[in-house]
């Protein structure tokens, strides 16, 4: 079983469209995250979410919104896609105690044309 | 927020040689220091981590050393092999949620 699974793996879409990326973890972790990796390989936190709290990186445009139906799922919805949104998006999960490693999903390569 | 600086950005070594990657951080409250390896087209994977109550940890050919006073920690890979070629990231917990802030990455190339 894949511990953290993301779908889709590839996503090509036109500017202005709305899209969603799904993430599920079966590790029983309390906290899930979304990271954006740009073409220079920088891994930048976008959101962290547990049952109690959503932490939003202040640099993330409000076109991006996380949605969590339960603690095993954290989806990412993006409105009005722009060319600069093209990147690889990684979901991850952890115990959320600040002393545990993350398990990453396989990533979603988003290309906006 | 946490400031994590990683050096060098690229590193080429001959197979069998050692490689060292260093990270410095700013938050003195940080007490957990992981390293991740990301192969081309793959996800980052945790390869080793250290907590602040120890100064060094080894796992076969990889080791991490920590200097809390100077606020830096390093990844050491000995007897490098071509399959060690990847991007390596350090990370440090930051913010109220202690989420990981990653360094900028080091592209390691092991030449056969």
């Amino acid at each position: 079983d894949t511990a953290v699974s993301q779908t889709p793996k590839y996503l090509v879409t036109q500017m202005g469209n709305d899209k969603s990326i799904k993430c599920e973890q079966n590790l029983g972790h309390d906290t899930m995250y979304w990271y954006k990796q740009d073409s220079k390989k920088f891994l930048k936190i976008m959101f962290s979410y547990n049952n109690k709290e959503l932490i939003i990186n202040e640099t993330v445009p409000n076109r991006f919104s996380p949605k969590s139906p339960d603690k095993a799922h954290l989806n990412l919805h993006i409105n009005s896609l722009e060319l600069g949104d093209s990147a690889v998006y990684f979901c991850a999960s952890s115990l959320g105690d600040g002393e545990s490693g993350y398990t990453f999903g396989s990533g979603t390569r988003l290309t906006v044309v | 927020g946490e400031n994590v600086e990683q050096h060098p950005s690229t590193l080429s070594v001959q197979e069998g040689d050692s490689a060292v990657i260093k990270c410095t951080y700013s938050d003195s409250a940080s007490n957990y220091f992981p390293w991740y390896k990301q192969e081309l087209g793959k996800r980052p994977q945790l390869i080793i981590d250290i907590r602040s109550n120890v100064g060094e940890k080894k796992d076969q050919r990889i080791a991490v050393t920590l200097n809390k006073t100077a606020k830096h920690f390093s990844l050491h890979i000995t007897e490098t092999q071509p399959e060690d070629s990847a991007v390596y990231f350090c990370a440090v917990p930051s913010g109220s949620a202690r989420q990981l802030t990653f360094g900028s990455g080091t592209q390691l190339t092991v030449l056969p």
Side-chain angles (χ1 to χ4, degrees):
Chain A
D1 281 343
T2 302
V4 181
S5 59
Q6 278 179 246
T7 55
K9 192 168 177 61
Y10 300 97
L11 186 53
V12 181
T13 188
Q14 291 188 323
M15 276 174 36
N17 283 350
D18 302 339
K19 290 293 178 185
S20 292
I21 306 172
K22 295 186 176 182
C23 180
E24 175 182 0
Q25 56 99 1
N26 62 6
L27 297 168
H29 285 164
D30 292 321
T31 307
M32 297 182 72
Y33 312 85
W34 279 104
Y35 278 82
K36 178 180 180 180
Q37 187 171 46
D38 62 20
S39 57
K40 294 184 178 181
K41 301 295 185 182
F42 292 135
L43 273 167
K44 191 169 183 181
I45 183 75
M46 300 177 71
F47 305 100
S48 67
Y49 189 84
N50 62 22
N51 285 336
K52 303 172 187 174
E53 192 175 18
L54 170 66
I55 304 291
I56 303 173
N57 184 315
E58 61 186 16
T59 66
V60 175
N62 58 14
R63 299 181 294 104
F64 291 78
S65 57
K67 298 187 190 300
S68 179
D70 56 60
K71 84 168 196 176
H73 297 82
L74 183 65
N75 303 325
L76 181 65
H77 190 74
I78 317 169
N79 289 328
S80 303
L81 278 155
E82 300 177 358
L83 293 176
D85 297 333
S86 296
V88 180
Y89 292 84
F90 284 100
C91 174
S93 73
S94 80
L95 292 173
D97 59 2
E99 295 191 6
S100 304
Y102 287 8
T103 301
F104 282 87
S106 56
T108 296
R109 182 174 293 278
L110 172 65
T111 304
V112 183
V113 298
Chain B
E2 179 71 80
N3 185 29
V4 182
E5 293 191 2
Q6 182 173 344
H7 299 282
S9 57
T10 61
L11 179 60
S12 291
V13 298
Q14 290 294 136
E15 184 176 357
D17 287 350
S18 296
V20 181
I21 305 168
K22 183 176 177 179
C23 274
T24 60
Y25 60 96
S26 57
D27 184 357
S28 57
S30 298
N31 53 13
Y32 172 68
F33 307 93
W35 284 93
Y36 288 79
K37 174 183 181 182
Q38 186 179 25
E39 297 176 358
L40 187 62
K42 301 285 183 65
R43 74 191 76 192
Q45 290 194 295
L46 178 68
I47 55 171
I48 194 167
D49 56 17
I50 191 169
R51 289 168 178 79
S52 58
N53 56 345
V54 296
E56 183 176 3
K57 182 177 178 180
K58 285 185 179 180
D59 183 2
Q60 299 183 339
R61 296 186 298 107
I62 60 172
V64 56
T65 58
L66 171 66
N67 184 328
K68 277 219 79 177
T69 303
K71 290 191 276 188
H72 66 73
F73 59 110
S74 299
L75 177 70
H76 305 256
I77 307 174
T78 58
E79 301 172 32
T80 53
Q81 300 169 2
E83 52 264 37
D84 295 329
S85 296
V87 179
Y88 291 81
F89 294 94
C90 63
V92 180
S94 65
S96 59
R98 309 310 289 163
Q99 57 206 24
L100 291 179
T101 297
F102 285 82
S104 53
T106 297
Q107 173 68 63
L108 173 65
T109 303
V110 180
L111 304 169

